[in-house]
Amino acid sequence: MSMKSVLKARILLSACSGLLLVASVHTVAATRPNHLLPQYQQSVPAVRAALHGPLPSVQTAPVSSPEEPRTSITGTPVSQSRKAMLKHAVETAPGVKKSLQERFLSAPFAATAATAATAATAATAATAATAATAATPETYAPTRPPGGIDPATAVPSLWQNATIGQIGAMADGSVQQSDKNQPNGVAGLDAAGRFTAPVAGDVTAATAGSALSGALKRPLSARFAEQPSAGDFGITLDGTSDDSTALQAAKAAVPAGSMVRIPAGVLHLATPLQSETPTLWQINGTTLADGAPITSLGTDVIESTLEGGKYFARGESRADMPPVLRKDLDVTHTGGTTGFVMNLEKGNCTIPAEGAALNDYVWCHSTVLNSSAFGAGQHVAQASLAQRPADALADGKGSRSQIWAGYDEARDETGQASSVAGSMVGREVDVYANGDDPVGWRIGLQLQIAGTSADGIPGKVGKGIAIGNNDATSTYGTLIDAAGRFDTAGIDLSRSTPVNNAPVLNIGANRNLAFSDDHKPHFQFDSAAYTLRYWYDTANLLAIGMQGDVTTSISNAGSGVAWTLNGQAQLGLNLSGLNAPEALRLAAGQTLSWEPTAVVHSSFANGKLTEQVAAGVARTLDTSGNETLPGSLQNSQTIVSLTQPTAPAYVAKGTAAIGLDTTGLTTPEALRVADGQAISWEHTASVQTRYASGQLQDSQNGAPLRTLDASGNETVTGSTRNSGMTTSLNNSAASAITLTGSAGIGVNLTGLSTANALRLGDGQSVAWEPTAVMTTGYTATGLTDAKGSTPLRQLDSNGNETLAGTITPNAGVHLPTLSRASIKAQPNPAPGVMVFDAEDDAPAIYTSAGWMLVGLSAMP
């Protein structure tokens, strides 16, 4: 081809390109041919042969007339005459008149960028490919312009000869602006390459795939069916239209147990849902007409949000329904990290120092059961079961891991006292009940311990309730605190069954069993002496040794008694089992009364045993065995008159069990003596009891030692008794009262109403143990506790206490807590007095300058 021909072709193609762009702007796009249709499935050589006819010569005309209409695309002027030239060239081309014209007038060229050299190389390669496939049928394939897009004019530039067929092929591969968003056209894209308008029409048959590796493409209808929605069945959710039909249709369309979504809106159900097949409804912001959340859809389970939280509910139930929510975890793995705890469910509630209001109640987990049902069925708010199956040991792997049916733990890691850090509750059990419980069916806390199989060997639980510490430093304020009212027993062990003589209560050696809030009266077992002791504060009042010996300390010197028996026992005091030769020992001058008023009594004093009735001496027995009776001997209504003044009226000798038995005598007077007669308590008659001149008199060797007149006034030589008992003792080597034996109580002062249970003389002391080393006494300096002659503690009449050592209380020193007004109102406080100011929450000490507050700082 000559250079002149090449120039003609380039001019013609340039004009065609500009004219095509003008046509695309000013004309309505024609329908683009679909080259995938059968009529376009020709062989590529035939198409190309039809398109490769000779291109007629077209003379170019200069564009110089200002009157010629012009249009501009990207700033390039185009002459209307050039459009006419292009039309003439296209219409005269054989075989391509209509189709080529449609291509040129409807579709802009595709934009590509290429250099002229690259375009020439591509054209050469296309020519070679055409020759190689001359007889092979091919489908339509767009042809890019060999010369690329001119960056200045935005039109294709062909830097080589091109045929009309090549131009038509290039037009088929381009997308025209008029095809955007048109039927059988293309979708418009925004600057980011996304659709600018929604896709219209039914696209459910289209396929879509996941971006995940290996995922298959599936129809969109299959994806939509995976999560049905009530909106698919025409639900309105406008609050007035009846949504029952749509929900009923959704239930009928899905299999039993399927999950159906309900979009946000206002639900109105004119009729309840009717279906036996369960459905799980996912409610997304849907409410009722009054704004209330939906909490019930018949017997179906709903999954929703209630007040911003996840909510599951079933409003109605029927027999044998599964639970609303069930969680299962089968632990099947092996290995893992040592100490890892696997949970089926775990919830964490964190309460920061700021965030929750001071009066907020935060319950991390709450289970509520409301029951009005009747019958014998059980209703349990919460149940836990930890079970080891019977064949758990059959694998031969040895002992099993620990299991817990329940585990509660509450921690306070502040290191501060509860008054600062706040209270803690490990677990609280509240049981509310009204009315009486006559059969004991209401139980605050019940622990059932039993064997797992009735036909197996019964097992043994080590401890029914074990309360202890994991370390040796923590202590309980009160291990078990029963602070409520009870009308049967605080602790009832009467229905328990001890085995192997097991004790029902074991407090351990050297520990106290107290009986009052101040812990002063208490029992203690002294393991060193193997003795059970009863204490009042620091005084050991009763001690029972391992040999049965009982020792008591009695400090009531008033009108009380050492031993009192009340009731209707068959025997008041039974000493028949005692092997000691002395069943009872009285000190000299003490009496043994035979009836409640102590009018009839026996006593030994000054070597004489005296028995006294009313105000008269009834009988005296001296140490020689001489008995003196002031009256006469009566036996079987017989009165014996004796005339031998030197002989006794009655002499008893031998080994009889009883010397004189008057138990069968029904007369109220067992013995009567005449006025002036005496009863001797021993054989020399030196110890006598006589009644004369209206007075009962005990004497020894003729000297009156004690007289009792009709008014009850008693006179004892060396002492005075009036409205009580005052005894003067002259035997400094003996104790005033000594009790031995196995009596339950040595001295009982509980019936004494006087304020002074014990009175000591100045300088006297009370000893607290057999050697009298530890004593308490009162002297001119005050009340003194001493060890030997060394004072350990002193209390004077002003209430001042002096200690030789230090105060070491187990729970710390507790200062008296007073208000500010009470502290300032103290009369003449001594310097050094310290109290606790309740209003300043700090100690206060009195100095010469007045009351001063003690500064405190927090313990690290």
Side-chain angles (χ1 to χ4, degrees), residues 432-476:
Y432 296 89
N434 294 323
D436 201 0
D437 184 19
V439 294
W441 284 349
R442 296 171 185 165
I443 302 173
L445 177 63
Q446 177 169 319
L447 302 178
Q448 292 288 96
I449 300 175
T452 59
S453 176
D455 55 357
I457 299 176
K460 179 180 180 180
V461 176
K463 293 178 174 61
I465 300 176
I467 303 176
N469 299 326
N470 291 330
D471 56 79
T473 59
S474 300
T475 58
Y476 296 94

Side-chain angles (χ1 to χ4, degrees), residues 371-382:
S371 176
S372 299
F374 61 90
Q378 293 181 346
H379 303 262
V380 181
Q382 183 174 349

Side-chain angles (χ1 to χ4, degrees), residues 201-217:
D202 184 9
V203 296
T204 58
T207 59
S210 172
L212 299 176
S213 177
L216 302 177
K217 291 186 177 181

Side-chain angles (χ1 to χ4, degrees), residues 628-654:
T628 303
L629 297 176
S632 62
L633 182 63
Q634 298 180 5
N635 187 14
S636 301
Q637 299 294 324
T638 300
I639 299 176
V640 178
S641 297
L642 301 176
T643 58
Q644 186 179 0
T646 58
Y650 181 82
V651 177
K653 296 181 179 180

Side-chain angles (χ1 to χ4, degrees), residues 544-827:
I544 303 176
M546 60 181 177
Q547 302 298 331
D549 50 304
V550 178
T551 304
T552 62
S553 299
I554 302 170
S555 56
N556 187 354
S559 60
V561 293
W563 186 277
T564 299
L565 293 177
N566 295 321
Q568 299 177 352
Q570 183 177 7
L571 296 176
L573 182 61
N574 189 354
L575 304 177
S576 61
L578 187 63
N579 295 327
E582 291 183 83
L584 180 64
R585 174 178 291 184
L586 300 178
Q590 291 180 336
T591 62
L592 180 62
S593 298
W594 299 108
E595 36 73 58
T597 62
V599 172
V600 180
H601 58 269
S602 298
S603 62
F604 182 82
N606 301 322
K608 291 182 180 181
L609 177 63
T610 301
E611 292 183 348
Q612 182 174 322
V613 179
V617 176
R619 182 177 62 179
T620 302
L621 181 65
D622 61 17
T623 55
S624 300
N626 297 312
E627 183 178 18
T628 303
L629 297 176
S632 62
L633 182 63
Q634 298 180 5
N635 187 14
S636 301
Q637 299 294 324
T638 300
I639 299 176
V640 178
S641 297
L642 301 176
T643 58
Q644 186 179 0
T646 58
Y650 181 82
V651 177
K653 296 181 179 180
T655 58
I658 301 175
L660 180 64
D661 189 356
T662 61
T663 57
L665 187 64
T666 59
T667 179
E669 292 185 84
L671 180 64
R672 176 178 289 184
V673 295
D675 188 4
Q677 290 181 335
I679 298 177
S680 299
W681 297 102
E682 32 76 55
H683 69 285
T684 63
S686 58
V687 180
Q688 294 181 345
T689 298
R690 74 173 63 241
Y691 182 79
S693 301
Q695 290 184 341
L696 180 64
Q697 183 184 79
D698 291 335
S699 62
Q700 185 173 13
N701 298 323
L705 301 179
R706 182 175 59 183
T707 58
L708 181 66
D709 61 19
S711 299
N713 296 314
E714 184 177 19
T715 303
V716 179
T717 301
S719 66
T720 301
R721 299 178 180 179
N722 186 14
S723 298
M725 181 180 294
T726 302
T727 304
S728 298
L729 303 177
N730 297 320
N731 188 353
S732 61
S735 58
I737 299 175
T738 301
L739 296 176
T740 58
S742 58
I745 302 176
V747 178
N748 187 353
L749 305 176
T750 58
L752 186 63
S753 60
T754 180
N756 290 330
L758 175 64
R759 176 176 290 180
L760 300 179
D762 190 3
Q764 290 181 334
S765 63
V766 176
W768 300 110
E769 34 72 58
T771 61
V773 173
M774 302 299 297
T775 60
T776 297
Y778 183 80
T779 62
T781 58
L783 183 64
T784 301
D785 292 333
K787 181 177 182 181
S789 59
T790 303
L792 301 180
R793 180 173 61 184
Q794 291 179 321
L795 183 67
D796 62 17
S797 58
N798 294 324
N800 297 313
E801 186 176 16
T802 303
L803 296 179
T806 60
I807 299 177
T808 311
N810 292 335
V813 177
H814 185 190
L815 298 176
T817 302
L818 302 174
S819 65
R820 174 70 61 80
S822 298
I823 295 175
K824 291 184 175 182
Q826 294 293 319

Side-chain angles (χ1 to χ4, degrees), residues 77-354:
V78 180
S79 174
Q80 182 64 29
S81 60
R82 296 174 65 183
K83 177 179 179 182
M85 294 168 58
L86 177 61
K87 180 178 181 182
H88 173 76
V90 171
E91 290 178 349
T92 56
V96 295
K97 178 178 180 181
K98 184 177 183 180
S99 62
L100 188 59
Q101 181 183 16
E102 291 176 347
R103 297 174 189 175
F104 271 79
L105 295 178
S106 61
F109 290 107
T112 58
T115 62
T118 305
T121 304
T124 304
T127 304
T130 301
T133 59
T136 304
E138 295 182 3
T139 60
Y140 164 77
T143 301
R144 300 286 183 257
I149 300 297
D150 188 345
T153 62
V155 297
S157 300
L158 299 179
W159 295 98
Q160 66 177 25
N161 294 332
T163 64
I164 295 299
Q166 290 175 326
I167 296 174
M170 288 187 292
D172 274 341
S174 64
V175 177
Q176 306 211 16
Q177 294 292 324
S178 58
D179 289 337
K180 291 195 304 180
N181 301 322
Q182 296 298 322
N184 295 325
V186 296
L189 304 178
D190 60 11
R194 297 171 300 193
F195 287 114
T196 58
V199 178
D202 184 9
V203 296
T204 58
T207 59
S210 172
L212 299 176
S213 177
L216 302 177
K217 291 186 177 181
R218 297 184 296 142
L220 294 179
S221 59
R223 279 186 169 269
F224 292 156
E226 290 179 355
Q227 192 166 14
S229 172
D232 299 335
F233 300 90
I235 194 169
T236 59
L237 297 175
D238 57 8
T240 58
S241 302
D242 184 13
D243 297 321
S244 305
T245 303
L247 292 187
Q248 201 69 52
K251 284 180 64 68
V254 298
S258 297
M259 182 171 57
V260 180
R261 295 173 60 89
I262 300 180
V266 180
L267 182 68
H268 173 63
L269 296 180
T271 58
L273 297 183
Q274 301 293 332
S275 178
E276 292 297 324
T277 59
T279 302
L280 174 61
W281 301 95
Q282 275 193 327
I283 302 177
N284 298 276
T286 310
T287 65
L288 298 175
D290 59 355
I294 301 173
T295 59
S296 175
L297 283 178
T299 59
D300 288 340
V301 175
I302 62 175
E303 176 186 351
S304 176
T305 57
L306 185 62
E307 298 177 351
K310 199 68 172 178
Y311 179 73
F312 290 87
R314 175 188 285 131
E316 301 175 12
S317 66
R318 66 172 184 269
D320 303 326
M321 295 191 74
V324 173
L325 180 64
R326 171 171 173 166
K327 301 177 182 180
D328 293 324
L329 171 63
D330 293 334
V331 181
T332 59
H333 69 276
T334 58
T337 305
T338 302
F340 177 77
V341 178
M342 177 168 288
N343 300 286
L344 171 62
E345 180 182 5
K346 182 177 181 179
N348 289 322
C349 299
T350 301
I351 306 175
E354 296 180 359

Side-chain angles (χ1 to χ4, degrees), residues 42-85:
Q42 306 179 39
S43 62
V44 172
V47 174
R48 291 177 177 173
L51 295 176
H52 287 180
L55 184 65
S57 300
V58 179
Q59 297 295 327
T60 62
V63 181
S64 59
S65 175
E67 289 79 13
E68 278 189 321
R70 296 172 177 266
T71 186
S72 175
I73 300 297
T74 65
T76 303
V78 180
S79 174
Q80 182 64 29
S81 60
R82 296 174 65 183
K83 177 179 179 182
M85 294 168 58

